[in-house]
Amino acid sequence: LYDKNAYEAFHPASTTKLMTSLLAIEQSLLSEIVTCSHDAIYSIGWDSSRAGLVEGEQLSMEDALYAILLASANEVSYAVAEHVGGTLENFVSLMNQRARELGCTNTHFINPHGLDDPDHYSSPYDLALIAKQAIEYTTFRRISGSYYYQMPATNLNVARDLGNTHKIIRKRIAYEGVFAGKTGTTSQAGNCLVTCAERNGMTLICVIMKASNSDTVY
């Protein structure tokens, strides 16, 4: 319907987690247990978005997806990548392979969380292609479209409350029909937002990258 710089490469920030979640849904069961490794906890900056997990903590893949899609948890994205791919590097290879399969031509992933890297990029059109595939799964729609989730207690932690970072899904901004999406913000990426909405049988996907601030992106 409309595009501007649709095929230009930008830093995607946490909209990267659309692909991380898509692969997790396609290649694992929700009941599988994900264990957070030392690297998952300590290779991520402490000032980045987290769900507060600790080394050795275990959670179900379903709870991990809630942490990734609602709280945008970087350490959980890393742990899921290791769980699904065996190693982080192998999972990143799977991300890039899946992107090519979906027709992405201006995307290259370096990590599963989206923290800035010169070789980690995507385009608005490519993110729309990834989102289009993700919303084919009811699991993705259900989790991404939740405005709140209480992660149950784990082997090493008490229960935690997770709120969706997407303001429309969180009901802080009104827009009829929104059912899924993902936010992303870093210093280099600016503000990124993927939003999926449905009205009268028509589904639309809106992707915004490199907005100047959190007001403009909405």
Side-chain angles (χ1 to χ4, degrees), residues 132-181:
K132 182 182 179 183
Q133 181 61 47
I135 62 176
E136 291 293 317
Y137 295 98
T138 55
T139 295
F140 180 85
R141 286 175 172 245
R142 171 172 58 84
I143 294 176
S144 176
S146 300
Y147 69 90
Y148 163 83
Y149 180 71
Q150 184 176 69
M151 183 189 295
T154 67
N155 60 322
L156 295 175
N157 246 317
V158 298
R160 278 157 289 192
D161 295 332
L162 305 176
N164 202 315
T165 56
H166 197 301
K167 291 182 181 179
I168 302 178
I169 298 174
R170 194 79 179 266
K171 311 294 186 187
R172 293 183 176 175
I173 297 175
Y175 191 89
E176 179 189 348
V178 169
F179 65 88

Side-chain angles (χ1 to χ4, degrees), residues 54-145:
V54 298
E55 184 177 351
E57 188 165 357
Q58 297 181 321
L59 68 166
S60 69
M61 181 60 74
E62 182 171 16
D63 289 340
L65 285 168
Y66 274 106
I68 291 170
L69 289 171
L70 271 63
S72 204
N74 291 326
E75 85 277 30
V76 182
S77 299
Y78 197 114
V80 164
E82 290 186 318
H83 178 87
V84 174
T87 65
L88 183 75
E89 293 74 19
N90 189 49
F91 186 80
V92 170
S93 294
L94 293 174
M95 294 174 74
N96 288 312
Q97 177 184 332
R98 194 72 178 99
R100 289 190 295 271
E101 290 171 357
L102 293 174
C104 300
T105 57
N106 296 290
T107 293
H108 184 255
F109 295 117
I110 289 292
N111 61 61
H113 40 66
L115 293 177
D116 290 329
D117 185 288
D119 292 324
H120 189 90
Y121 54 84
S122 190
S123 70
Y125 183 77
D126 286 358
L127 286 179
L129 291 177
I130 296 167
K132 182 182 179 183
Q133 181 61 47
I135 62 176
E136 291 293 317
Y137 295 98
T138 55
T139 295
F140 180 85
R141 286 175 172 245
R142 171 172 58 84
I143 294 176
S144 176

Side-chain angles (χ1 to χ4, degrees), residues 15 124 127 184 191-195 206-211 216-218:
T15 58
L127 286 179
N191 286 257
C192 304
L193 190 68
V194 178
T195 309
C206 175
V207 179
I208 302 170
M209 302 183 76
K210 209 172 176 61
T216 303
V217 77
Y218 285 96

